[in-house]
Amino acid sequence: RKIGGGSSRKKFTEGWVEFKKKRIAKAVVQSLNGNIIGGKKGSYYHDDIWSMKYLPRFKWSNLTEKLAYDSAVRKKKLQQEMTQVKKETNFYLEQMDKNKQITAIKRKREEKQSSAGNKQSSDSKNNDISEQSGREPKQRKLVRADVRKENIANVLSNVFTQ
């Protein structure tokens, strides 16, 4: 408000008043509701209007519970936002580290290839995969068909001989 040329005073939007007697509370609400706050003409709150409402069966403990609940919800929401931001930051940093590692590996490969004078292999697909992931694909060992048939025959003979 002060930047916009306004006052630096606090602006109150709501408040609560507790009375010992219900009859007095109802009378105050009826007499002040909708009236101008008044005071001297230069007063900050001179032209503001009272807006009052009597709340039946409302206790001060209800108000404090509500304020405590709102504060807890606000803190919980802020904590969740902070956790989310922390996760995003950690993910970004991990991706940056992976990118540094991959570029270092590429640079070393290029240095080896240029120093040895080797040309790229004809398996461009394997090179593309390894460059994207940053590591060599894991190869499985070849299982010969005749060994597989012998193993199956041994298992079947053991099953049916008993």
Side-chain angles (χ1 to χ4, degrees):
R1 285 183 10 229
K2 186 151 187 165
I3 294 171
S7 174
S8 62
R9 291 175 129 188
K10 290 190 175 191
K11 186 173 184 180
F12 296 103
T13 56
E14 57 185 21
W16 294 267
V17 178
E18 183 179 27
F19 294 93
K20 286 186 177 182
K21 295 186 178 181
K22 179 168 58 169
R23 185 176 46 136
I24 294 173
K26 286 183 177 181
V28 168
V29 167
Q30 190 162 6
S31 66
L32 291 179
N33 189 30
N35 290 342
I36 296 173
I37 291 176
K40 292 186 177 181
K41 188 159 182 152
S43 173
Y44 183 71
Y45 300 105
H46 174 73
D47 293 322
D48 291 346
I49 298 175
W50 288 108
S51 177
M52 293 187 167
K53 182 177 183 181
Y54 174 75
L55 302 173
R57 290 179 237 104
F58 187 80
K59 302 289 180 199
W60 194 258
S61 60
N62 298 348
L63 175 65
T64 55
E65 287 174 6
K66 172 80 169 118
L67 292 176
Y69 175 75
D70 290 344
S71 176
V73 167
R74 187 171 51 252
K75 285 180 183 177
K76 180 82 170 176
K77 191 175 184 180
L78 183 64
Q79 184 66 30
Q80 287 176 345
E81 289 176 5
M82 293 295 290
T83 305
Q84 182 66 25
V85 167
K86 193 181 247 185
K87 283 181 183 178
E88 290 174 0
T89 304
N90 288 340
F91 178 75
Y92 177 75
L93 292 175
E94 287 174 5
Q95 293 301 319
M96 292 294 292
D97 289 341
K98 283 182 183 179
N99 188 23
K100 284 181 183 179
Q101 291 174 352
I102 290 171
T103 53
I105 290 170
K106 285 181 182 179
R107 190 175 351 106
K108 286 180 183 178
R109 283 186 188 159
E110 290 173 0
E111 288 173 3
K112 282 183 182 179
Q113 287 178 357
S114 63
S115 66
N118 294 339
K119 295 184 180 178
Q120 287 185 347
S121 65
S122 59
D123 296 333
S124 61
K125 289 183 181 179
N126 286 341
N127 287 341
D128 290 342
I129 291 170
S130 65
E131 286 178 9
Q132 288 176 358
S133 65
R135 55 195 151 132
E136 294 293 325
K138 194 171 189 179
Q139 296 291 326
R140 291 186 179 175
K141 293 184 179 180
L142 179 64
V143 178
R144 294 184 299 176
D146 56 331
V147 173
R148 198 186 271 166
K149 286 180 185 177
E150 291 174 9
N151 288 340
I152 292 173
N154 286 339
V155 170
L156 289 176
S157 65
N158 289 335
V159 169
F160 293 114
T161 58
Q162 294 176 1

